[in-house]
Amino acid sequence: MAERSFKKEVEHLRAGSGETFTGEGILAITKALLENGVGYVGGYQGAPISHLMDVLADAEELLGELDVRFEANASEAAAAAMLAASVHYPIRGAVTFKGSVGVNVASDALANLSSSGVNGGAVVIVGEDYGEGSSIMQERSHAFAMKSQFWLMDPRPNLPSIVQSVGQSFELSEASNTPVMLMVRIRSCHVTGSFECSDNKRPALTVKDALANPQRDWNRVVLPPMSFAHEQDKVNTRWPKAQQHIIDQQLNEFFGPKTGDLGLICQGGMYNGVIRALQRLGLADIYGNTDIPLYCLNVTYPLVDQEFLQFSKGKKGLLLIEEGQPEFIEQGFSTMLLRSDLKVKLHGKDVFPMAGEYTGQVLLDGITAFVKQHAPDLLPGQMRAPNQMAPSLPDLSQTVPSRPPGFCTGCPERPIFAALKLAQQELGEHQISADIGCHLFASLPPFDIGGATMGYGLGPASNAAFDGGGERRAISIIGDGGFWHNGLSSSIGNMVFNKADSVAVVVDNYYSAATGGQDILSSRADNPTKSTKNPITKALRGVGVEWIRQIDHTYDVAKMRAIFHEALTTDYDGPKAIVASSECMLNRQRREKPQRNQMIRRGARMEVPRFGVDEDICTGDHACIRLSGCPSLSVKHLSDPLRDDPVASIDQSCVGCGNCGEVADAAVLCPSFYRADVVHNPTRIEAWWAGLTARLISWLQDRRMAGQIQFSEIAR
């Protein structure tokens, strides 16, 4: 069950010539693929491009009508390998995944694909996850494009440009026999707008047609001596063809006057921010007409020396706006200027920060500093002074507290780590490694469990140095998504092969939850197009794990703690696996809430559990908060003058999972939690009984209050 359904939106993908498409960037990319005759598509979900896989999955019926093959790949590596279909056949193929971690996972396949070259257009659509909205380490996909010689597209962030770039990527790939990486930044993925449609095209050669007439060319096999020829072909043939195609098709764009003392150069994805900064300086209007010549690189690799040097002629200063580090583009342009006779000052990272996202304020400050140095008369009067900068926002980093991510309300992974924390209180601290996924939040307070993250599915592998045994066994955590992505072979297989005396905990929440709730091999749901319900325990036994414990209700903290205790103290010498299974609460609520609300509207009787804290019993120990950290739990100050300590309190966001009471019970035998079932559409007897008990409670409360008032008067 994906995070969001696009069933309604995908109907707009049927729009044809003369119609206007309005929607989100990811939907526009899907429409562009269909308009450009793509023959097969695949990929692996990951922010900010996850929804592209969801859209493709919801559009499978339309894809089938056009004879387009869709594959939800097991990993980014599997997706990249799928592009092998374009090596020998003139079929257009596209795959998508998160960059740069997706590119890292897929690197082997991508490197081989680039070496052999392609006959059909091959496009890798990467969601560039860089900057303040990122969920990963800060890297750029640009480095991989340079390493393996992929051409890199970075279109301007508006729907017409993004849609156009899809067709241009296929054409550039075919013109130079080289795969192309189409980089879509975070904001481009979710930008909304409109564009004029073209008709969807059935691929000129479908994968079914290719199967009926197999082709191969041993010259494209990546083995010596062919691999040596591939390198020469890249440099002597493919590169010049790509540069010429970029010039001929005007893939890069020029804005503003044709001449001037200054010039700006920016990556296509930075165009909107640059124009906005120029508007704030009075150097551009709301339509993007700029007073300073602007060279917009919709293709950031390869760079075209002919275009750049022509743009540089007659200028005193150039400013390159390149987000991220290292400054690959700046180094390339600096080399071009060094080898030419042009005497022009190139600025870049000297006025912009080397690393970090180029926000609106960063762009404004950098462009202001550049213009002030070379043409201060272009700036408003108050900004011409040498030390006068554009107004900047206050630094709130020392005032506003950090807000790291955390588990959702009711998450079934909370009790797993509460149980592990309780087990460690008894057995001592253990070496614990983590993985990529929701469970990584356990490395933060209140759990402080696990830390090292070496890659998706590599949690147990990252503990390999500690797997030889010792005073305390090492523990590794891996999610079900990571398990099927790379973990079964690279982590679990590694443990079995090396006879690791350690414990691997597979957190099974039924989905690839962290990437949007997509189904995986072990999902419990029925999926008409995919194979689900494949038990993780069966896969573990298949690769040789003999000590396995399965728990199907992780909210049972006491049982969960007992399993951890057994795994960490057993005499069994070998790899041990705990499969902790409970459905992702977010996905469960997405499924159950609409059904429940529909039943309530129909008048059906429904019970919805809620938990509360008896304020008279709560001691203020707060073990429930320390051992769960649930967002629905907070503290409340009482008006009772004899109670100084705040008591625990549960707000209306509670989903009734019961974890708070479970951890409190497992920790301190706390009796202050209670469960109340909210009844919708009660029966007549229930309504009568509720009214009677409410009147009785009200009478008792009034009697108690009267007694307290009388006692106060006597005391005075």
Side-chain angles (χ1 to χ4, degrees):
M1 179 181 181
E3 181 179 69
R4 174 183 169 189
S5 173
F6 290 88
K7 286 290 186 182
K8 294 181 179 179
E9 289 92 335
V10 297
E11 288 302 313
H12 301 309
L13 300 177
R14 298 181 182 275
S17 180
E19 297 182 73
T20 300
F21 183 97
T22 301
E24 200 175 27
I26 284 175
L27 281 158
I29 292 173
T30 312
K31 174 60 174 164
L33 290 171
L34 299 179
E35 291 181 354
N36 283 279
V38 69
Y40 63 95
V41 289
Y44 191 86
Q45 59 275 356
I49 205 77
S50 288
H51 286 343
L52 183 50
M53 288 300 295
D54 298 335
V55 170
L56 291 168
D58 285 340
E60 276 199 82
E61 181 179 348
L62 175 57
L63 296 176
E65 293 172 9
L66 295 169
D67 283 332
V68 178
R69 165 68 176 166
F70 167 63
E71 175 115 346
N73 302 108
S75 69
E76 296 89 348
M82 188 181 182
L83 288 173
S86 293
V87 172
H88 297 292
Y89 301 93
I91 308 175
R92 287 185 168 181
V95 297
T96 179
F97 40 75
K98 176 190 185 84
S100 59
V101 289
V103 174
N104 293 340
V105 172
S107 59
D108 199 10
L110 291 175
N112 279 276
L113 178 72
S114 182
S115 182
S116 62
V118 295
N119 274 324
V123 177
V124 181
I125 304 169
V126 296
E128 190 72 348
D129 200 2
Y130 183 88
E132 65 180 15
S134 174
S135 61
I136 57 164
M137 79 290 284
Q138 296 294 275
E139 288 189 349
R140 298 172 63 188
S141 302
H142 196 112
F144 190 93
M146 296 175 63
K147 178 189 80 70
S148 291
Q149 195 164 308
F150 268 66
W151 310 141
L152 184 61
M153 297 283 292
D154 186 1
R156 290 191 290 132
N158 63 74
L159 259 57
S161 294
I162 294 170
V163 168
Q164 186 181 36
S165 71
V166 173
Q168 291 172 338
S169 296
F170 280 124
E171 293 167 358
L172 177 59
S173 176
E174 291 163 344
S176 59
N177 302 111
T178 303
V180 171
M181 191 177 293
L182 174 59
M183 190 175 83
V184 192
R185 296 164 186 260
I186 294 175
R187 290 170 178 79
S188 296
C189 288
H190 304 295
V191 68
T192 58
S194 60
F195 65 93
E196 296 303 310
C197 297
S198 298
D199 292 331
N200 295 331
K201 294 180 181 177
R202 187 177 182 274
L205 178 69
T206 68
V207 289
K208 292 181 179 179
D209 295 335
L211 279 171
N213 184 27
Q215 299 177 26
R216 64 184 301 275
D217 180 1
W218 60 266
N219 286 301
R220 293 191 179 276
V221 178
V222 186
L223 281 173
M226 289 81 75
S227 53
F228 305 127
H230 294 167
E231 183 184 26
Q232 295 301 316
D233 187 47
K234 282 182 179 181
V235 174
N236 298 323
T237 305
R238 299 187 210 169
W239 194 314
K241 281 186 177 181
Q243 289 182 313
Q244 192 59 50
H245 182 85
I246 293 167
I247 295 171
D248 293 343
Q249 300 302 315
Q250 300 178 351
L251 300 188
N252 295 322
E253 298 176 281
F254 297 88
F255 300 95
K258 293 185 178 180
T259 60
D261 290 339
L262 305 182
L264 302 179
I265 308 166
C266 73
Q267 298 158 297
M270 300 303 301
Y271 172 82
N272 287 6
V274 171
I275 289 297
R276 177 58 183 149
L278 291 172
Q279 290 172 356
R280 293 176 67 182
L281 292 173
L283 299 176
D285 61 22
I286 60 173
Y287 303 104
N289 298 312
T290 169
D291 295 339
I292 300 177
L294 176 60
Y295 178 26
C296 182
L297 298 171
N298 294 317
V299 184
T300 54
Y301 185 78
L303 300 174
V304 183
D305 50 359
Q306 181 179 334
E307 274 188 352
F308 169 69
L309 295 176
Q310 182 63 37
F311 178 78
S312 303
K313 286 182 179 178
K315 293 182 173 58
K316 297 178 180 178
L318 295 171
L319 176 62
L320 174 60
I321 302 158
E322 178 184 6
E323 186 179 61
Q325 59 86 28
E327 66 276 50
F328 297 121
I329 301 175
E330 186 174 347
Q331 292 175 18
F333 282 155
S334 295
T335 301
M336 292 179 192
L337 288 175
L338 185 64
R339 292 173 178 172
S340 71
D341 294 329
L342 296 178
K343 305 298 181 184
V344 55
K345 178 67 174 177
L346 176 64
H347 296 270
K349 297 296 185 181
D350 55 336
V351 296
F352 283 112
M354 174 62 78
E357 183 175 0
Y358 283 2
T359 62
Q361 189 63 48
V362 170
L363 289 170
L364 180 62
D365 291 344
I367 293 174
T368 300
F370 167 72
V371 176
K372 185 179 296 183
Q373 180 174 344
H374 289 279
D377 292 343
L378 293 177
L379 296 173
Q382 71 273 16
M383 299 180 67
R384 295 176 188 172
N387 297 321
Q388 181 67 39
M389 293 296 294
S392 60
L393 297 174
D395 181 10
L396 301 178
S397 61
Q398 304 303 316
T399 305
V400 179
S402 175
R403 188 183 179 187
F407 294 112
C408 301
T409 301
C411 176
E413 300 186 19
R414 289 182 185 277
I416 297 174
F417 297 105
L420 181 54
K421 194 167 186 177
L422 290 169
Q424 287 195 104
Q425 284 181 358
E426 178 184 354
L427 301 174
E429 293 290 324
H430 288 64
Q431 161 59 32
I432 302 176
S433 68
D435 206 303
I436 305 301
C438 297
H439 65 270
L440 183 56
F441 302 148
S443 62
L444 305 171
F447 302 110
D448 298 305
I449 290 175
T453 53
M454 293 294 104
Y456 200 28
L458 297 178
S462 64
N463 241 7
F466 306 101
D467 279 349
E471 181 179 345
R472 295 177 184 144
R473 287 177 173 135
I475 305 170
S476 55
I477 317 292
I478 184 172
D480 49 352
F483 177 86
W484 293 114
H485 177 275
N486 193 26
L488 181 59
S489 59
S490 296
S491 282
I492 305 300
N494 187 70
M495 289 177 66
V496 173
F497 185 67
N498 290 286
K499 298 182 178 181
D501 182 26
S502 57
V503 181
V505 182
V506 184
V507 180
D508 173 22
N509 56 27
Y510 301 8
Y511 310 93
S512 183
T515 60
Q518 293 82 7
D519 282 338
I520 53 179
L521 278 163
S522 52
S523 295
R524 270 57 163 188
D526 292 320
N527 191 314
T529 63
K530 301 291 180 288
S531 174
T532 54
K533 303 180 181 179
N534 298 283
I536 291 174
T537 53
K538 191 173 181 179
L540 289 167
R541 290 189 181 95
V543 296
V545 180
E546 298 178 2
W547 195 102
I548 301 172
R549 298 293 183 269
Q550 170 84 43
I551 181 169
D552 291 319
H553 184 67
T554 60
Y555 297 102
D556 189 339
V557 177
K559 184 176 180 180
M560 196 78 241
R561 177 176 60 178
I563 291 176
F564 277 122
H565 188 280
E566 180 188 3
L568 296 172
T569 59
T570 179
D571 292 334
Y572 179 80
D573 184 10
K576 289 157 281 290
I578 300 172
V579 182
S581 302
S582 279
E583 183 178 12
C584 167
M585 183 56 74
L586 202 57
N587 265 30
R588 179 179 173 183
Q589 292 298 317
R590 289 191 188 112
R591 185 184 70 255
E592 291 183 351
K593 270 190 176 180
Q595 297 172 352
R596 183 170 63 240
N597 293 338
Q598 187 177 24
M599 295 293 289
I600 292 172
R601 286 193 297 268
R602 290 178 179 175
R605 181 186 179 281
M606 296 292 295
E607 292 185 9
V608 181
R610 287 287 185 272
F611 281 77
V613 176
D614 190 323
E615 298 173 356
D616 293 330
I617 299 177
C618 179
T619 63
D621 173 76
H622 304 151
C624 51
I625 297 175
R626 294 196 307 272
L627 286 169
S628 87
C630 181
S632 68
L633 273 172
S634 58
V635 293
K636 178 181 179 181
H637 287 274
L638 300 179
S639 58
D640 188 342
L642 300 179
R643 298 285 300 274
D644 294 332
D645 294 334
V647 299
S649 178
I650 301 178
D651 64 26
Q652 292 302 308
S653 66
C654 172
V655 295
C657 72
N659 180 44
C660 51
E662 286 280 354
V663 295
D665 180 71
V668 293
L669 300 176
C670 178
S672 60
F673 284 90
Y674 65 85
R675 169 174 167 165
D677 292 327
V678 180
V679 180
H680 296 269
N681 301 319
T683 64
R684 290 184 178 181
I685 294 177
E686 287 176 324
W688 171 80
W689 181 254
L692 179 63
T693 54
R695 288 193 296 273
L696 177 60
I697 292 171
S698 178
W699 177 76
L700 291 172
Q701 288 175 334
D702 291 343
R703 185 183 177 197
R704 179 185 181 185
M705 183 62 69
Q708 289 177 343
I709 294 173
Q710 184 178 6
F711 178 80
S712 299
E713 291 176 349
I714 294 173
R716 285 199 298 269

